[in-house]
Amino acid sequence: MKRRYKLLRTTLIVLFSFIIVVVVGWIILSRYVERKVSQELESRNAKISSFKINLFTQSVSVHDFEWTYLDDSLSRPPHHLTVKLIHVDRVNIYQLVRQKKIQIHKITINGGDLQFNRTLNKVTGGEKKEKGGTDLEISVDSIVIRNIKAKILYDSIEEYAGTLNIAVGKVAITDIQSLDNFTSNQLNSFEALVTNIQMNPNDGFYKTTISRIYVNSDEEKILVDSILILPKYSKYRFSRKIGRQVDRFSASIPAISFTGVQFDQVKDSIFKVAKIEINSTNLHVYRDKRLPFKKEENTPLPIAMIRSLPFEVSIDSVKLTNTTITYEEFPEDGFQTGQIRFEKLNATLDYITNRNNFGQLKQATLRTSAKVMGRGLIKAEFSLPFHESQIYNAKGSIRNLSLFRLNPILENLAFVSIETGTLNQLDFNFDYDDIESRGLILINYENLKINSLTKEKETKTNAFKSLLINTFIRKDKGKGLDKDKRTGVIYYKRDRKKAIFNVWVKSLFSGLKSSVLDSSNKKETQLAK
């Protein structure tokens, strides 16, 4: 009995001694590692208030981390990072020692500020090393970043800002020297929320604010809320700052959603989305035609433009709902702006691709409807073929439009005013390519009377010209008139330096002119058929 007691006591003494040695050893090792890390951070212009390693729980905690990139210039703000807390949970020490792998359960980065100045020299991280693989692999089950206020500067000007909240799942880095090579590493899931976004690029002409951007790779969606885009310069100064005619726009977009986003294909330069929805947008476009139109290169048709992108695009559909678009223009020889407004605009664009992902027979189709100046209803369908052998086509109708409602744009741009007249129906159908458009319109209007206006700052009716105009046009072209008399010929040679909207508008005007003034001829009619 006594011998057994002595054996037990000896065993306990040895065990407790071993535990004490291990604990003391771990404490000493922890302090050594803490000291070495602190020294290493100081050598790299970083500092911390505390650094704790718990070898029992295999965790690391860093409080009040601060890093500054020292540049040769003392006048420009430096790159700077502060983080209140960095916590690394469950680091597998055994794998690090035996297999040259770092396996971490979770990294949490909580609270802080990030400042990046893009005018500074690029951070190289020391001397360049030869490219090549490394035996060290890193695997992290999850990374969580909370409430990091980030901003990008141009010199001392703040260009971009926002608050970051990011959660990343299962990160695997097989080559630590190629962190910028997205395809060589693995990322299983990604969730991010960026709020209070401010974009004001130094060399840009617009400033943008966004309430929030939410990204979730598991749910395959991106949500963007409360977008406001405003020009930096007034209507007069904007195009003069650029030195040529250019559209100046402002936009308010309550929400944009991307669903069915294939995030796993992004690394292969493929942008694949099932649906994009844009809701209740208010867009104002202004153009000052007193400036010269200067453009050297041609503007390709829509699909040709998409086809030229360096990455693959595949979008099942884009949906635009309850949108208002106002176009305002200052004419070359006028004194005031004219404008036209489209309200309650709804549009869908299907099968957008630049790699023929939807098969030989499917082509992009744009379907739209809107109220013109709040009254007349316009419906249109545009085919945008992928293959060159397929034909671009536009067809649609305008109904129940009191024509005097077009005066806000006609009076100041064309110096004519519609006194009376109702457009009961206008049907159009034309084909077009990169060179010209051909087609027909069928019109039905009544009680049309037009006044010509003088080209003066204070316009008034030009009685003689008004008499001439109303002599050459027919007052009524209703259903009682022969169809041939109500048909106009669309024939327009495209200005290849201008966008697709110019083709659509000028083609319609050519048909209207042909019908209203009875100026169509047999040769043009044969071309259009």
Side-chain angles (χ1 to χ4, degrees):
M1 187 77 177
K2 206 170 186 182
R3 190 172 176 182
R4 192 177 297 175
Y5 172 76
K6 190 182 274 190
L7 181 60
L8 179 60
R9 189 180 64 175
T10 304
T11 304
L12 289 174
I13 291 172
V14 171
L15 180 60
F16 280 119
S17 299
F18 176 76
I19 292 173
I20 291 170
V21 169
V22 169
V23 170
V24 171
W26 280 33
I27 292 172
I28 293 172
L29 180 59
S30 297
R31 295 290 171 83
Y32 172 77
V33 173
E34 289 170 14
R35 187 170 64 254
K36 292 295 287 183
V37 168
S38 297
Q39 290 173 353
E40 182 67 19
L41 288 174
E42 287 178 8
S43 69
R44 297 179 180 274
N45 306 316
K47 60 182 180 180
I48 54 177
S49 65
S50 68
F51 179 89
K52 300 295 181 185
I53 296 178
N54 190 325
L55 295 177
F56 293 102
T57 61
Q58 298 181 333
S59 63
V60 177
S61 294
V62 177
H63 291 269
D64 300 324
F65 173 86
E66 184 176 351
W67 170 80
T68 302
Y69 171 67
L70 298 180
D71 185 65
D72 294 337
S73 172
L74 298 177
S75 60
R76 293 176 294 184
H79 304 314
H80 189 69
L81 172 65
T82 61
V83 179
K84 292 180 181 178
L85 173 65
I86 302 173
H87 183 75
V88 182
D89 186 39
R90 283 162 45 190
V91 184
N92 194 318
I93 305 296
Y94 174 80
Q95 283 195 338
L96 176 61
V97 175
R98 300 287 296 177
Q99 301 176 4
K100 293 186 178 180
K101 291 181 181 179
I102 299 178
Q103 186 173 346
I104 300 170
H105 173 64
K106 186 177 183 180
I107 299 175
T108 303
I109 300 172
N110 197 357
D113 297 277
L114 171 63
Q115 173 180 288
F116 180 83
N117 190 340
R118 68 186 185 93
T119 60
L120 298 179
N121 296 328
K122 184 178 179 182
V123 181
T124 60
E127 295 181 1
K128 277 192 172 182
K129 296 182 180 180
E130 292 184 6
K131 286 189 175 181
T134 176
D135 293 335
L136 184 62
E137 295 180 12
I138 301 174
S139 174
V140 184
D141 291 339
S142 68
I143 301 174
V144 177
I145 299 173
R146 298 193 186 103
N147 298 321
I148 300 295
K149 295 180 179 179
K151 59 184 178 181
I152 298 176
L153 307 180
Y154 180 87
D155 203 350
S156 58
I157 299 172
E158 185 177 299
E159 292 188 304
Y160 305 93
T163 302
L164 307 178
N165 288 274
I166 300 171
V168 180
K170 203 64 180 177
V171 180
I173 302 172
T174 56
D175 185 356
I176 200 169
Q177 295 185 22
S178 301
L179 289 175
D180 57 342
N181 186 355
F182 184 70
T183 58
S184 68
N185 303 305
Q186 179 185 339
L187 179 64
N188 278 14
S189 65
F190 180 82
E191 184 179 14
L193 176 64
V194 186
T195 57
N196 302 319
I197 302 157
Q198 307 285 331
M199 295 186 286
N200 186 15
N202 179 64
D203 52 355
F205 288 84
Y206 295 92
K207 51 187 176 183
T208 303
T209 62
I210 303 173
S211 175
R212 71 169 200 149
I213 299 175
Y214 176 71
V215 182
N216 190 313
S217 63
D218 289 337
E219 297 179 6
E220 299 183 345
K221 69 181 181 182
I222 301 172
L223 305 177
V224 186
D225 291 334
S226 302
I227 308 156
L228 183 62
I229 304 171
L230 295 173
K232 291 184 182 181
Y233 306 100
S234 67
K235 292 178 181 178
Y236 181 84
R237 288 189 60 207
F238 190 89
S239 49
R240 282 160 183 77
K241 192 83 174 174
I242 298 174
R244 58 183 173 85
Q245 274 187 44
V246 64
D247 287 333
R248 172 191 181 271
F249 64 89
S250 57
S252 172
I253 310 171
I256 302 176
S257 66
F258 301 76
T259 55
V261 184
Q262 302 300 304
F263 289 95
D264 58 333
Q265 297 191 35
V266 173
K267 65 181 181 181
D268 297 321
S269 298
I270 299 174
F271 180 69
K272 191 171 184 178
V273 181
K275 182 186 287 187
I276 300 174
E277 293 185 271
I278 307 171
N279 300 318
S280 303
T281 296
N282 194 323
L283 174 65
H284 187 281
V285 182
Y286 174 83
R287 178 172 281 252
D288 192 337
K289 287 203 167 182
R290 291 171 294 181
L291 278 82
F293 180 80
K294 296 189 291 186
K295 192 174 184 181
E296 299 297 328
E297 70 282 0
N298 291 333
T299 300
L301 293 174
I303 299 302
M305 187 181 297
I306 296 173
R307 194 186 291 118
S308 67
L309 294 173
F311 52 89
E312 182 177 331
V313 175
S314 179
I315 304 171
D316 291 355
S317 70
V318 178
K319 188 175 182 180
L320 192 68
T321 58
N322 195 29
T323 291
T324 298
I325 299 177
T326 304
Y327 176 77
E328 183 181 5
E329 181 181 300
F330 203 112
E332 184 178 355
D333 300 319
F335 306 97
Q336 298 182 63
T337 63
Q339 67 176 28
I340 187 169
R341 187 176 66 258
F342 300 91
E343 297 173 298
K344 296 182 180 178
L345 187 150
N346 297 290
T348 58
L349 178 57
D350 299 322
Y351 306 125
I352 310 146
T353 182
N354 58 0
R355 297 292 189 274
N356 193 26
N357 292 315
F358 299 110
Q360 180 80 18
L361 299 178
K362 289 187 176 180
Q363 59 183 3
T365 304
L366 173 63
R367 297 178 179 87
T368 65
S369 67
K371 293 281 188 177
V372 184
M373 302 300 285
R375 288 292 188 273
L377 176 64
I378 181 170
K379 291 184 176 181
E381 180 177 308
F382 305 91
S383 64
L384 309 171
F386 178 83
H387 294 282
E388 294 181 4
S389 60
Q390 294 173 308
I391 299 171
Y392 280 82
N393 176 264
K395 60 184 177 183
S397 65
I398 304 174
R399 287 181 170 81
N400 303 323
L401 175 62
S402 297
L403 293 172
F404 73 88
R405 295 186 180 279
L406 299 178
N407 284 337
I409 192 167
L410 294 176
E411 289 177 350
N412 293 323
L413 302 189
F415 291 96
V416 296
S417 176
I418 298 178
E419 185 174 324
T420 61
T422 301
L423 179 63
N424 298 316
Q425 184 168 340
L426 183 151
D427 296 315
F428 60 89
N429 192 330
F430 61 92
D431 298 331
Y432 60 97
D433 55 25
D434 208 24
I435 306 300
E436 60 189 11
S437 59
R438 300 186 182 95
L440 299 171
I441 71 164
L442 180 63
I443 199 166
N444 176 350
Y445 67 85
E446 59 187 9
N447 198 27
L448 179 61
K449 184 177 180 181
I450 299 176
N451 293 325
S452 176
L453 303 177
T454 57
K455 290 188 177 182
E456 299 171 356
K457 196 165 188 178
E458 299 294 332
T459 59
K460 56 185 178 180
T461 300
N462 186 319
F464 179 70
K465 284 188 176 181
S466 297
L467 178 63
L468 285 177
I469 290 173
N470 289 290
T471 300
F472 281 102
I473 66 171
R474 293 185 66 104
K475 182 179 179 181
D476 298 293
K477 281 197 173 184
K479 288 186 177 180
L481 194 65
D482 289 343
K483 191 173 180 180
D484 288 345
K485 294 290 186 181
R486 296 189 291 116
T487 299
V489 176
I490 293 174
Y491 183 75
Y492 172 68
K493 285 194 173 183
R494 184 193 175 207
D495 184 343
R496 299 178 69 191
K497 290 183 170 34
K498 295 186 177 180
I500 186 66
F501 303 103
N502 182 262
V503 176
W504 295 341
V505 172
K506 291 295 179 68
S507 296
L508 277 178
F509 272 117
S510 74
L512 280 169
K513 181 180 177 183
S514 170
S515 176
V516 174
L517 298 179
D518 291 324
S519 63
S520 59
N521 57 55
K522 291 183 180 179
K523 181 179 178 182
E524 289 176 322
T525 305
Q526 290 301 318
L527 284 170
K529 287 182 177 179

